[in-house]
Amino acid sequence: METEHFDFIVIGGGSGGYAAARTAREKMERVAIVDGSKELGGLCILKGCMPSKTLIYASEILHHAKDGKTFGLDIPEASVDMPALHRRKLEIIKEFSDYREEQLKSDRFTLFRNQAAFVDESTIELDDGRRLSADYFVIATGSVVSVPPVQGLSTCPYWTSDNVLDLDTVPERIIVLGGGIVACELAQFLRRVGSEVVQVQRSPHLLREFSAEAASVVAQSFRDEGIELHTGTRLVSVQHETGEFRVTFEKDDETHTVCAPHLLNALGRRPATDCLNLEAAGVETLSSGHIGCNSKQQTSNPKIYACGDVAGPYEIVHIAILQGELAAKHAIDSEHEAVDYDDLVSVVFTDPQVATAGLTEEELKRRGIDYLSADYPFDDHGKSILMEAKYGYVKVFAERTTGTVLGAECVSKDAGELIHAMAVAVTLNATVFDLLKVHWYHPTLSEIWSYPLEDIADEI
């Protein structure tokens, strides 16, 4: 069978893959996208960002409605209509996925609805036997749910985030394994729509990629809302008998067992590389399972790039897009700046939300950077007090002598929105003195940034 040749082939049509294909098409004529998933759209649209944030926002509204008396409101009853919520989520997803499908199927690209595996360093074979070759490839196959070696877990009918995001009923009681972003966001969603939630986390604190201080605020919020939270555990076993899950774990030298009819495995994800036959292409992987890349997203085969969850180091949509664009630009002319992870923005959509921009305090210490820091709590801030949004704080890190903002942390309602003021500052190398020229409007949540900025400016 004849091999069809392209200038550029992207394997995976999610956010990163589409960004790579779109960018390559600006200069290259023959660009193909290979995506054998059941639906087009990618993880973010279909099973990640869009459905989860739709449900999380709805549960936040419900939470406030149930707390109406605190605001002087008489709301006799507030409850979730899960079938209606499910339908709304599907409508929103469809709007985004239809648009992405239209983009992928446009005559700018050649779309193959197939699985692919490499047969050599420049050729892939599709699952229907056809072969395609290219001058350049981008691997953007994303990630899949990971199943850690916990006794009994792999053989149990556990739920993944996919199952939770597809619910049209409220589980009476559920055990959530994990304390990462997905675990925390979905645990709080389930609690707010009416489930009894038991969350079991192996690390000493939730959200281990964020500071212990930030995690403690989220943990307190969870406990205040009635989530039974266990951190610092060692999972021993998972059993499933007569419709009930039994999770046994050790904590503080004691053995505990929790039971529920449902179990969510949210213990992480791993790169989706199993069927790609990377060895044939000369593409090496790291101990984490991620595809090893240089700063230009090139793999150990310089004609093959990787982006997004499959490459790491951050499983964030906007990072996947930046990496995909960089890969295509580098393939075109090789002279482009790498993605600057020192400007990274991260957000967790719990309530309170957790958000960071730039370098974390842990990273500043690791690098030996001389910095100043200042913080301010939301329970002493006008707008947050009247909103009953008192959980959390803001914190700013700045270079000691110049006041250049190096990073910031925000734990609060809408922290994901508030953090962008500091993200702009970090990216543009603004100083605290620059930011104090800003008109910080009162009363807003955003004006809270002015307090730590003033403290650092005074200290300098």
Side-chain angles (χ1 to χ4, degrees):
M1 183 178 293
E2 186 177 347
T3 299
E4 188 173 3
H5 186 77
F6 291 87
D7 300 322
F8 196 88
I9 293 178
V10 178
I11 306 174
S15 298
Y18 174 70
R22 179 197 64 215
T23 305
R25 190 62 184 82
E26 294 174 3
K27 297 291 185 180
M28 298 178 178
E29 286 297 321
R30 290 182 54 76
V31 176
I33 299 168
V34 180
D35 191 317
S37 57
K38 184 178 178 181
E39 299 176 84
L40 290 172
L43 177 65
C44 173
I45 292 174
L46 298 174
K47 301 292 184 181
C49 311
M50 302 317 296
S52 66
K53 278 51 182 181
T54 299
L55 299 180
I56 289 167
Y57 184 67
S59 70
E60 183 180 351
I61 295 172
L62 175 62
H63 177 71
H64 289 313
K66 287 181 176 179
D67 197 30
K69 284 185 170 55
T70 300
F71 297 91
L73 304 175
D74 183 13
I75 302 175
E77 184 180 354
S79 61
V80 68
D81 181 342
M82 283 295 283
L85 178 55
H86 179 62
R87 287 194 299 272
R88 179 175 184 267
K89 178 206 65 185
L90 292 177
E91 290 169 0
I92 289 173
I93 292 173
K94 190 174 188 306
E95 184 177 342
F96 285 97
S97 63
D98 283 354
Y99 181 58
R100 175 56 53 80
E101 185 170 348
E102 180 183 332
Q103 292 173 315
L104 294 171
K105 288 183 175 179
S106 74
D107 57 10
R108 300 168 62 209
F109 312 109
T110 303
L111 176 65
F112 295 91
R113 298 291 280 114
N114 301 90
Q115 300 293 338
F118 285 95
V119 293
D120 60 38
E121 295 184 350
S122 60
T123 310
I124 56 174
E125 183 172 275
L126 306 183
D127 53 15
D128 61 5
R130 287 180 292 177
R131 291 195 171 192
L132 311 176
S133 62
D135 296 331
Y136 301 98
F137 289 86
V138 172
I139 302 170
T141 46
S143 60
V144 294
V145 171
S146 175
V147 185
V150 177
Q151 181 181 330
L153 179 60
S154 64
T155 58
C156 282
Y158 57 78
W159 283 351
T160 69
S161 57
D162 291 358
N163 301 106
V164 173
L165 295 177
D166 206 35
L167 286 173
D168 58 5
T169 60
V170 177
E172 180 182 350
R173 180 175 168 84
I174 186 168
I175 300 168
V176 177
L177 298 183
I181 294 174
V182 172
C184 288
E185 290 180 352
L186 294 185
Q188 189 175 41
F189 160 73
L190 288 163
R191 179 62 191 142
R192 286 184 164 185
V193 296
S195 298
E196 292 181 11
V197 177
V198 181
Q199 186 172 3
V200 183
Q201 158 69 347
R202 294 174 293 180
S203 297
H205 65 74
L206 295 174
L207 303 170
R208 62 188 178 90
E209 294 178 356
F210 295 82
S211 71
E213 184 181 6
S216 68
V217 178
V218 175
Q220 186 60 55
S221 171
F222 278 19
R223 292 188 170 108
D224 290 348
E225 291 187 21
I227 293 175
E228 182 184 330
L229 177 61
H230 302 274
T231 58
T233 71
R234 186 183 77 83
L235 288 174
V236 176
S237 66
V238 177
Q239 296 174 294
H240 183 256
E241 296 176 356
T242 62
E244 183 171 78
F245 288 91
R246 293 172 58 84
V247 175
T248 301
F249 60 91
E250 294 177 351
K251 180 179 180 179
D252 299 330
D253 298 323
E254 294 183 1
T255 300
H256 305 262
T257 299
V258 291
C259 303
H262 304 288
L263 175 72
L264 168 60
N265 170 18
L267 291 169
R269 300 179 69 87
R270 62 179 178 83
T273 60
D274 289 351
C275 300
L276 292 173
N277 194 23
L278 296 177
E279 289 184 5
V283 173
E284 298 174 358
T285 57
L286 308 176
S287 59
S288 63
H290 292 97
I291 294 175
C293 295
N294 64 16
S295 63
K296 307 297 185 177
Q297 302 307 127
Q298 284 175 301
T299 69
S300 51
N301 178 339
K303 298 295 185 180
I304 299 177
Y305 298 77
C307 70
D309 289 5
V310 78
Y314 303 101
E315 297 178 1
I316 302 174
V317 173
H318 78 268
I319 293 296
I321 292 171
L322 290 173
Q323 290 176 341
E325 291 173 344
L326 173 61
K329 290 175 180 177
H330 189 264
I332 291 168
D333 65 19
S334 77
E335 294 299 328
H336 289 277
E337 292 185 8
V339 178
D340 187 353
Y341 299 114
D342 284 358
D343 295 343
L344 184 71
V345 175
S346 296
V347 181
V348 184
F349 288 88
T350 49
D351 183 13
Q353 294 177 5
V354 179
T356 61
L359 299 177
T360 64
E361 188 160 20
E362 181 181 5
E363 182 63 16
L364 288 167
K365 291 177 179 177
R366 191 187 71 80
R367 296 188 189 184
I369 295 174
D370 193 12
Y371 70 95
L372 296 171
S373 69
D375 57 70
Y376 200 85
F378 276 92
D379 64 4
D380 189 37
H381 181 57
K383 184 65 182 291
S384 56
I385 289 172
L386 66 89
M387 295 173 70
E388 290 294 334
K390 301 175 188 176
Y391 289 104
Y393 59 89
V394 291
K395 196 170 188 179
V396 177
F397 312 111
E399 202 275 327
R400 181 175 293 275
T401 56
T402 64
T404 300
V405 178
L406 303 172
E409 184 174 84
C410 181
V411 184
S412 72
K413 176 177 175 54
D414 296 333
E417 311 299 329
L418 298 179
I419 197 63
H420 285 83
M422 293 302 110
V424 171
V426 168
T427 302
L428 299 183
N429 295 314
T431 68
V432 294
F433 305 103
D434 295 327
L435 295 182
L436 287 172
K437 298 174 185 175
V438 172
H439 292 228
W440 297 97
Y441 198 88
H442 174 78
T444 62
L445 290 177
S446 294
E447 69 170 323
I448 195 173
W449 289 116
S450 65
Y451 305 135
L453 293 173
E454 287 173 350
D455 287 345
I456 292 174
D458 288 346
E459 190 166 351
I460 293 175

